[in-house]
Amino acid sequence: MKKTVEGLLSLGGVRRDVIFLVLGGIGLLVSFLDARLQFWPLSWDPAWIAIVLCGLPIVAEAIVGLVTAFDIKADVLVSMALIASVIIGEYFAAGEIAFIMQVGALLEELTVARARAGLERLVHLTPQTARVLEPEGERVVPAEQVRVGALLRVLPGETVPVDGTVVEGETSIDQSVVTGEPMPVDKQPGDPVFSGTVNRYGAFDMRADKACQDSSMQRMVRLTQSADAGKAKIVGLADRWATWIVVTALAAAALTWLFSGQIIRAVTILVVFCPCALVLATPTAIMAAIGNATKHGFLVREGDALERLAGVSYLAFDKTGTLTRGTPAVVQVQTVSRYTAEEIFALAACAEVKSEHPLGKAIIACFPDRPTVPERFAMLPGRGVAATAGGREILAGNRRLLAEYGVPVPETFPAAGQVQRGGTAVLLAVDGALAGFIVLADTVREDSPGMIADVSALGCTPVLLTGDGQETAEAIAERLGIREIRANCLPEEKLRQIELLQTEGAGVCMIGDGVNDAPALKKAAVGIAMGGIGSDIAVDAADIALVNDEIGNLPHLLALSRRMMKTIRWNLVFAMGLNFAAIVLAITGFLGPVVGALVHNAGSVLVIIHSALLLGWKQKGKRI
């Protein structure tokens, strides 16, 4: 028997609690039936199984809290009711109390389960090695050993080990991990590069300007740690009111015993005042709301996230990958020659068919037909591509590429009015003459404008936080109907903007998808990450993940959180009202301990049923 108990105690917390609840429930059922059929062969009441397995942990936690910190929580009153019932021999009532409270504790434990993998992933993303150039040759060393001023070489596909400056070579760098920019950034001597960003094409040499511990990626780790530590957790309502409940219950029980002389009435008051329904009011509603959210594509990873979401007044959105698709697409084809726009597109697709550059791949992805394969192809990092097809020399790239091949390009080409705001122009030359250009841009999600309108109608102010420039940010915000814009935001600046909004006393919800959003997701009252397109680090840093990336469901989640809080408030009103009514009946002697336990446990059942209605709830007038 001893080994069996030790084995149960060694099991994981949730699994052990479930086993204890099952055994305790069986004990209560047997005790209830034995009171009528008299078949239990042993001298002790089987309700003791529930008392020991479900009740002792509650009593132990209450004693520890009182002794170590004089912390009066709901479990103090529960322990008083349980002990009082045992003293007067009402074992079934004591078992009932222990069982129902353990159910509530298990629900709460399930709703507040946390995941800490995000910070570990962020640490693992930090570059581990660097290629140091020395007089005797190239040497690979741990990144933390790189000194300021050292010369480093970064090959195609490698991660930049520390913050620094390009001194030789040209390339394109994927900086999305730091800035969130969807387009790779061309780099040439004199340009800065950041730790954790990825070198897409040409090899280059760089000078280390900062040590590893001061790099962009390490700063992001520290920002995420500090942001997480500063996020306050919601205290359970039952625990918040526990001191007053305990004082009121003890006073009512003592006065009843004093004036009636019947200890049974005093014990009954403690039993009916036991805050079972009060404790269940919040976790049952949260569990039901989480079930509703799951059906609509939201994975709620923090138990009290929906409570915090109900109180937000600002929704801060990252742009790339959140409000937009996060990948470039052809949005404009312009000709300035004898070629038609369709021919310009076909020539560009032919030139880019073998390209590994994201812009080239985007042109191919958007081209409606199979492109012609060129006879000759050359990738020119930082400039573009050169190809020969059908006897024609085709250049596709930036102004520097065309200048290198002697193609004259007017200083004002393309004119500001010709290129869609926020777009990147790829110039095209054919046989040494300027032929036209193609504009690529990140495209807005189809459901983003309607979503912004809906959250605004719910009384929340949308704010755009993006690492893109002011012009690009304004172009996207104008299409979406967002008035509050914060552009050029690196991770530190996004975190600072969240803090500024919070200092105004406003609750802020951050919605993002990238590694650079992780600190802001942690700092905000609620962080929501795009689960499909989003990075694992952003998802792990968030309280809620949007699994299918359908951001149009966000207004439903916001309305659901407010409905959940309304349900919780009604649960509390009902629970307290029932308890006070039962106290009056207990004082007058109409209720005994066993019947009192049944009455207040019936209240717990009604609270659970009321909370369960959230499972199928949806906004009126909305097709969900």
Side-chain angles (χ1 to χ4, degrees), residues 1 38 62 121 124 164 194 319 387 480 588:
M1 179 67 180
Q38 302 294 320
R121 292 179 190 265
H124 293 327
F194 305 105
K319 180 187 77 70
L480 294 172
T588 56

Side-chain angles (χ1 to χ4, degrees), residues 304-584:
D304 57 352
L306 292 178
E307 288 185 83
R308 288 182 261 120
L309 182 61
V312 303
S313 50
Y314 284 94
L315 293 181
F317 293 92
D318 171 54
K319 180 187 77 70
T320 306
T322 303
L323 296 173
T324 66
R325 289 292 177 188
T327 55
V330 174
V331 296
Q332 182 182 352
V333 179
Q334 185 74 38
T335 181
V336 292
S337 62
R338 62 185 178 85
Y339 297 103
T340 65
E342 291 76 14
E343 290 173 325
I344 292 292
F345 201 174
L347 289 168
C350 173
E352 299 281 7
V353 71
K354 295 183 179 181
S355 174
E356 292 297 317
H357 196 284
L359 295 183
K361 289 183 176 181
I363 289 174
I364 300 302
C366 295
F367 188 63
D369 301 315
R370 183 186 296 272
T372 302
V373 178
E375 294 93 31
R376 185 181 62 84
F377 171 82
M379 183 80 188
L380 304 171
R383 288 159 289 172
V385 298
T388 302
R392 288 180 292 194
E393 297 290 331
I394 308 170
L395 300 174
N398 55 26
R399 184 182 297 272
R400 287 197 297 126
L401 173 68
L402 272 62
E404 184 178 316
Y405 279 79
V407 178
V409 181
E411 286 295 327
T412 57
F413 181 83
Q418 287 183 289
V419 179
Q420 183 183 101
R421 283 203 301 168
T424 299
V426 176
L427 307 185
L428 194 78
V430 181
D431 294 331
L434 185 65
F437 61 89
I438 291 178
V439 179
L440 297 102
D442 194 6
T443 54
V444 171
R445 292 177 181 272
E446 293 80 2
D447 49 358
S448 291
M451 179 274 297
I452 293 296
D454 287 343
V455 297
S456 299
L458 288 169
C460 287
T461 302
V463 180
L464 181 62
L465 294 182
T466 177
D468 287 341
Q470 186 70 30
E471 184 178 1
T472 301
E474 289 177 353
I476 293 294
E478 183 178 339
R479 294 171 63 185
L480 294 172
I482 298 177
R483 296 182 179 179
E484 297 279 344
I485 304 170
R486 311 286 190 276
N488 299 304
C489 288
L490 293 177
E492 294 94 332
E493 183 61 21
K494 286 187 177 182
L495 189 63
R496 193 178 75 85
Q497 292 295 335
I498 295 292
E499 290 173 341
L500 285 175
L501 291 173
Q502 290 176 335
T503 55
E504 299 173 4
V508 182
C509 173
M510 174 70 192
I511 303 98
D513 74 298
V515 176
N516 61 313
D517 297 319
L521 288 168
K522 278 289 188 185
K523 184 64 177 178
V526 183
I528 300 178
M530 307 296 283
I533 193 174
S535 72
D536 290 342
I537 294 166
V539 172
D540 287 329
D543 305 298
I544 301 171
L546 182 51
V547 178
N548 53 18
D549 286 348
E550 292 184 8
I551 201 168
N553 282 332
L554 189 59
H556 171 77
L557 184 69
L558 183 60
L560 174 65
S561 68
R562 296 177 178 178
R563 178 69 183 192
M564 182 195 76
M565 292 307 297
K566 187 175 181 180
T567 297
I568 290 173
R569 284 191 288 269
W570 277 110
N571 283 348
L572 295 174
V573 169
F574 172 76
M576 294 302 294
L578 182 66
N579 277 10
F580 279 111
I583 285 172
V584 173

Side-chain angles (χ1 to χ4, degrees), residues 89-171:
E90 296 290 352
Y91 304 123
F92 183 78
E96 272 190 294
I97 293 169
F99 180 80
I100 199 72
M101 292 307 297
Q102 198 62 31
V103 170
L106 178 62
L107 285 174
E108 192 166 3
E109 187 176 351
L110 291 173
T111 59
V112 299
R114 297 179 57 105
R116 291 294 184 183
L119 194 57
E120 295 173 8
R121 292 179 190 265
L122 196 55
V123 172
H124 293 327
L125 192 63
T126 304
Q128 303 299 310
T129 60
R131 299 177 184 272
V132 180
L133 300 180
E134 298 177 338
E136 56 272 18
E138 182 181 302
R139 185 165 62 95
V140 177
V141 302
E144 60 266 19
Q145 294 182 11
V146 174
R147 298 178 180 274
V148 175
L151 285 179
L152 310 176
R153 176 162 293 162
V154 183
L155 300 181
E158 291 186 341
T159 301
V160 178
V162 296
D163 292 0
T165 304
V166 177
V167 295
E168 185 177 343
E170 294 183 340
T171 187

Side-chain angles (χ1 to χ4, degrees), residues 92-297:
F92 183 78
E96 272 190 294
I97 293 169
F99 180 80
I100 199 72
M101 292 307 297
Q102 198 62 31
V103 170
L106 178 62
L107 285 174
E108 192 166 3
E109 187 176 351
L110 291 173
T111 59
V112 299
R114 297 179 57 105
R116 291 294 184 183
L119 194 57
E120 295 173 8
R121 292 179 190 265
L122 196 55
V123 172
H124 293 327
L125 192 63
T126 304
Q128 303 299 310
T129 60
R131 299 177 184 272
V132 180
L133 300 180
E134 298 177 338
E136 56 272 18
E138 182 181 302
R139 185 165 62 95
V140 177
V141 302
E144 60 266 19
Q145 294 182 11
V146 174
R147 298 178 180 274
V148 175
L151 285 179
L152 310 176
R153 176 162 293 162
V154 183
L155 300 181
E158 291 186 341
T159 301
V160 178
V162 296
D163 292 0
T165 304
V166 177
V167 295
E168 185 177 343
E170 294 183 340
T171 187
S172 292
I173 299 286
D174 180 356
Q175 296 187 158
S176 59
V177 70
V178 174
T179 65
E181 296 171 283
M183 309 285 190
V185 179
D186 293 337
K187 299 289 184 179
Q188 57 185 336
D191 290 339
V193 289
F194 305 105
S195 167
T197 58
V198 180
N199 180 25
R200 286 299 185 193
Y201 306 108
F204 67 92
D205 296 342
M206 60 173 285
R207 181 183 63 253
D209 294 337
K210 293 181 180 179
C212 181
Q213 60 269 25
D214 298 323
S215 67
S216 302
M217 191 57 61
Q218 288 293 339
R219 287 201 309 273
M220 205 176 306
V221 171
R222 291 193 292 271
L223 285 172
T224 304
Q225 287 175 324
S226 62
D228 186 40
K231 183 185 288 187
K233 296 298 175 185
I234 292 177
V235 178
L237 290 169
D239 288 335
R240 236 184 293 169
W241 297 346
T243 301
W244 294 107
I245 294 173
V246 169
V247 171
T248 304
L250 284 176
L255 290 173
T256 300
W257 188 10
L258 178 65
F259 287 105
S260 70
Q262 297 181 33
I263 190 172
I264 193 73
R265 294 190 184 185
V267 171
T268 303
I269 289 174
L270 294 179
V271 170
V272 298
F273 224 138
C274 183
C276 291
L278 190 63
V279 170
L280 290 172
T282 297
T284 55
I286 291 176
M287 290 289 282
I290 288 175
N292 185 308
T294 301
K295 290 191 297 183
H296 294 94

